[in-house]
Amino acid sequence: MYIDSQIASIVVNRLTKLGIPALCIHDSFIVQQKQQEALMIELDRATTHILGSPFKTSTTQGHRFHDPLYDAATPAPGQLSI
């Protein structure tokens, strides 16, 4: 669990710096569909850093949230509020 938390911390911090909203739940991440590739890149980087090599990951398409304001939201770095 500690290793999972290290990887999650790196991924969430990096995505936040890139201005990409992400929600981490246990060993899963939720991002906008258009940010899926960025998430996968950051997961590879984080697992390589912690484990020494990329770790096999998979993606699933969850429920599509239909909201034009949500779909168009692209906050600039530093504009995310917690």
Side-chain angles (χ1 to χ4, degrees):
M1 287 191 304
Y2 176 65
I3 292 172
D4 287 348
S5 70
Q6 288 180 302
I7 293 168
S9 177
I10 290 169
V11 170
V12 169
N13 287 334
R14 180 68 181 142
L15 291 175
T16 300
K17 286 180 184 177
L18 294 171
I20 299 172
L23 178 61
C24 176
I25 301 172
H26 300 290
D27 61 350
S28 299
F29 296 89
I30 299 172
V31 295
Q32 290 176 311
Q33 185 175 6
K34 65 184 178 182
Q35 303 298 350
Q36 183 176 337
E37 185 177 345
L39 171 62
M40 299 305 290
I41 290 168
E42 295 308 326
L43 276 170
D44 279 349
R45 287 180 180 169
T47 56
T48 299
H49 176 73
I50 299 296
L51 302 173
S53 64
F55 189 79
K56 183 180 178 184
T57 57
S58 62
T59 62
T60 59
Q61 297 294 324
H63 175 71
R64 179 81 173 123
F65 184 72
H66 297 285
D67 183 339
L69 294 175
Y70 174 82
D71 292 340
T74 53
Q79 290 185 335
L80 297 175
S81 60
I82 298 175

